[in-house]
Amino acid sequence: MKLILKSLREGLGRLVIFVDWIFSPSKIKRNDESQAKTDQLTKDIKLYQFYACPFCTKTRRTIKRLNLKIETRNAQKGEYREELKLKGGQIKVPCLKVEYAGEINWLYNSNDIIDYLCERFS
């Protein structure tokens, strides 16, 4: 039963990604100076995610729409999963790691992440 649910979740995630690819959001247009400033502000922001997770896809769509250069990190296995567990406190995605003014914050809810990004970069 667990394998069936995992397969169903993975299949639905792939379907969401395909639909996202077809209906990709338009990016915000900025002048070169403004985009360079935005790129500088996002250099210390990382998105921990699973590729086929619908909530991660929703978050990535917002990142794309806002034209942000945020590094994505696959937390399904390996070093980023361990970092998320040890430093973030839990393995839950999407998770946005924000380093700002020497402080690190971990945002775990897709709606909270989207609200934060829209507030800061719209």
Side-chain angles (χ1 to χ4, degrees):
M1 183 66 159
K2 191 174 182 178
L3 181 61
I4 293 170
L5 288 175
K6 184 176 180 180
S7 297
L8 181 62
R9 185 172 52 239
E10 181 71 21
L12 287 173
R14 299 283 174 183
L15 178 62
V16 167
I17 289 167
F18 179 69
V19 170
D20 176 52
W21 177 73
I22 292 173
F23 300 103
S24 188
S26 299
K27 293 181 180 182
I28 287 177
K29 303 239 187 279
R30 297 183 182 92
N31 63 40
D32 291 342
E33 182 181 327
S34 180
Q35 187 63 50
K37 182 179 178 184
T38 300
D39 293 347
Q40 182 64 29
L41 290 171
T42 59
K43 72 178 179 62
D44 293 323
I45 299 176
K46 312 294 186 249
L47 178 68
Y48 292 76
Q49 49 117 29
F50 296 166
Y51 180 71
C53 165
F55 298 104
C56 297
T57 302
K58 175 181 164 182
T59 304
R60 288 192 308 263
R61 285 180 63 84
T62 298
I63 290 170
K64 184 173 185 174
R65 184 179 54 78
L66 294 173
N67 199 8
L68 304 175
K69 290 185 175 63
I70 294 177
E71 178 185 337
T72 58
R73 294 181 167 182
N74 183 354
Q76 282 188 296
K77 56 186 171 185
E79 68 179 293
Y80 295 134
R81 184 180 184 89
E82 286 303 308
E83 183 179 352
L84 185 59
K85 182 180 178 182
L86 294 174
K87 295 181 180 176
Q90 57 185 323
I91 299 172
K92 182 180 170 191
V93 293
C95 177
L96 194 70
K97 177 184 175 186
V98 180
E99 294 182 51
Y100 183 72
E103 197 174 302
I104 298 175
N105 291 305
W106 300 81
L107 298 174
Y108 277 98
N109 180 292
S110 61
N111 289 330
D112 292 342
I113 293 168
I114 290 166
D115 289 346
Y116 168 80
L117 294 173
C118 288
E119 247 179 59
R120 188 158 180 210
F121 298 107
S122 284

